[in-house]
């Protein structure tokens, strides 16, 4: 499936984007190992989270879907999971693969985790190493990529792990394995990463300590099922923010957006570029902070993006590349090497797409320099990466001519209804 975008203007609106992907995955996994029922609302009905739901069902958990955004999980308790009859296929989802590896490393049964071609090319040594130190036995392909074969019946012991990469997926894998390990498991991260696992563990009654940059859990907690309200996804809201900033005279309010301070780097970066963005009505949804986000069309200026904000905005760089291209002047991104091992090599994918639309981009192994300019019409590939696709769609709304974005099927990974959402606020996007 391709999208064809005709240059168009967004208009004033008040909207809501779908549920947070990270929180939705965690609600399924933690709800499954809690005792009793967990009713989830605001769930993201996207392909990645559905892969996690199917995996948890295959492990013996009853999960019902009263509606697209509601999930009812009858938790089986910490020790209630059962061996799956077949390999667990986690589709395109790195989060599902890495967190499930932590969860399954200490079970009494064997498991095999696999996924689509993109996922089967992604690095897993970053979780295999700490989990092995805890006593897990995990085999991968020789280059550390999936499928992962996890041996059952291993007794894990808590460790302290100094994470070499800032990754919430690695942190979460170690903490989830730590729930089953003897003693205490702790991690330190080289930079702060999203904290949804910690917040949800607390919400379900487990103690998680976070002191002096060390995050720790004790083995054998009692997790109790409770209702979980999933905030909407700031990463999805970012595409609406971007489109509004680039458009002329639009004023859009995005409601109930997840606003953990571990996710808000994109707001700081865009404000630093001149964005008229304000955060209204901050409040808590269970343990998760949320707020309404008001954004108005703005003139943007290039800047040197602070590398200290990278882990707080890790999924937003494709969108930030587009903001940089639309800004006056030059924007330098550094310390973003992790983007090369996401659903695609996002530095290369965005550089290629934007160059095809007339923007000058220089790449380095862990950075890029984007020169402000005008997007021309053209034909671009999104390398089957949902965030690359949506970023290029928003760029196309301000192009000089029509843009065709090829292979956009994976948009459903994180933002089902993306096209309907942006056409409802004025973008002209056709499916061909
Ligand atoms: C995620 C963590 C991030 C992010 C991904 C979701 C999570 O990955 O890119 O989309 O839910 O924990 P890393 O932690 O590997 O950077």
């Amino acid at each position: 499936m391709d999208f064809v975008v005709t240059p168009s203007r967004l208009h004033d609106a008040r909207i809501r984007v779908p549920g947070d992907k990270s929180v939705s995955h965690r609600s399924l996994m933690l709800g499954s190992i809690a005792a009793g029922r967990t009713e989830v609302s605001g769930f993201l009905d996207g392909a990645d989270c559905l892969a996690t739901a199917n995996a948890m069902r295959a492990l013996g958990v009853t999960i019902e879907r009263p509606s697209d955004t509601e999930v009812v999980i009858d938790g089986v308790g910490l020790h209630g999971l059962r061996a799956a009859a077949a390999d667990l296929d986690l589709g395109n989802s790195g989060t599902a693969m890495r967190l499930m590896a932590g969860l399954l490393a200490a079970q009494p049964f064997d498991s095999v985790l696999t996924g689509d071609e993109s996922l089967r090319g992604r690095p897993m040594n970053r979780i295999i190493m700490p989990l092995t130190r805890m006593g897990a036995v995990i085999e991968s392909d020789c280059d550390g990529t999936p499928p992962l074969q996890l041996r059952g019946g291993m007794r894990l012991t808590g460790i302290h792990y100094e994470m070499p990469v800032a990754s919430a997926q690695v942190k979460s894998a170690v903490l989830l394995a730590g729930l089953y390990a003897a003693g205490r498991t702790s991690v330190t991260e080289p930079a702060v990463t999203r904290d949804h696992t910690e917040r949800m563990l607390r919400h379900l009654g487990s103690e998680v300590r976070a002191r002096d940059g060390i995050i720790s859990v004790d083995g054998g907690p009692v997790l109790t099922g409770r209702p979980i309200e999933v905030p909407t996804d700031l990463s999805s809201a970012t595409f609406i923010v971007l489109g509004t900033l680039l458009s002329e005279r639009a004023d859009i309010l995005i409601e109930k957006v997840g606003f953990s301070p571990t996710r808000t780097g994109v707001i700081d970066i865009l404000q630093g570029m001149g964005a008229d963005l304000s955060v209204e009505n901050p409040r808590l949804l269970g343990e998760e902070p949320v707020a309404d986000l008001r954004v108005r069309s703005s003139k943007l200026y290039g800047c040197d993006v602070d590398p200290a904000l990278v882990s707080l905005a890790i999924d937003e760089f494709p969108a930030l590349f587009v903001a940089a291209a639309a800004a006056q002047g030059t924007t330098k991104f550094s310390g973003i090497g992790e983007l090369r091992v996401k659903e695609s090599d996002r530095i290369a994918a965005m550089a290629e797409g934007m160059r095809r639309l007339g923007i000058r981009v220089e790449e380095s192994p862990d950075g890029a320099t984007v020169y402000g300019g005008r997007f021309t019409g053209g034909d671009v590939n999104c390398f089957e990466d949902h965030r690359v696709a949506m970023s290029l769609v928003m760029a196309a709304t301000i192009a000089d001519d029509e843009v065709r974005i090829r292979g956009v099927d994976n948009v459903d990974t994180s933002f089902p209804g993306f096209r309907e959402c942006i056409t409802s606020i004025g973008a002209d996007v056709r499916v061909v």
Side-chain angles (χ1 to χ4, degrees), residues 56-93:
M56 297 316 307
R57 285 192 183 111
L59 293 161
V61 184
T62 302
I63 298 179
E64 271 158 21
R65 303 277 313 278
S67 74
D68 283 355
T69 57
E70 289 171 306
V71 180
V72 178
I73 306 159
D74 280 317
V76 295
L78 208 53
H79 299 288
L81 298 177
R82 298 283 168 261
D87 296 357
L88 299 170
D89 184 351
L90 302 169
N92 194 240
S93 178

Side-chain angles (χ1 to χ4, degrees), residues 343-422:
E343 285 84 328
S344 70
D345 174 342
R346 286 184 170 159
I347 300 179
M350 286 305 298
E352 177 180 322
M354 297 207 308
R355 280 187 199 121
R356 279 178 179 268
L357 300 179
I359 301 295
R360 184 171 159 213
V361 186
E362 283 160 11
E363 278 182 63
S364 69
D366 76 339
T369 303
V370 179
Y371 296 84
R374 281 199 69 82
F375 291 106
T376 61
D379 197 317
V380 293
N381 190 333
C382 61
F383 300 90
E384 290 171 27
D385 184 322
H386 53 127
R387 299 200 203 282
V388 171
M390 291 185 275
S391 301
L392 293 172
V393 168
M394 298 329 293
T397 61
I398 55 157
D400 290 335
D401 217 331
E402 204 166 83
V403 177
R404 182 178 189 128
I405 298 124
R406 293 193 182 264
V408 297
D409 305 68
N410 268 354
V411 161
D412 277 359
T413 298
S414 61
F415 199 154
F418 169 71
R419 192 186 75 88
E420 292 73 9
C421 176
I422 60 166

Side-chain angles (χ1 to χ4, degrees), residues 11-17 237 240-241 244 250-257 278-281 283 291-296 425:
H11 52 71
D12 295 358
R14 187 184 184 103
I15 58 164
R16 224 174 247 208
V17 296
I240 311 298
V241 168
T244 313
D251 178 338
I252 295 190
L253 184 82
I254 315 169
E255 294 173 333
K256 207 180 171 190
V257 184
S278 51
V279 177
E280 299 179 359
N281 195 13
R283 56 211 187 267
D292 302 329
L293 208 51
R294 162 148 265 132
V295 52
R296 298 185 181 90
I425 56 175

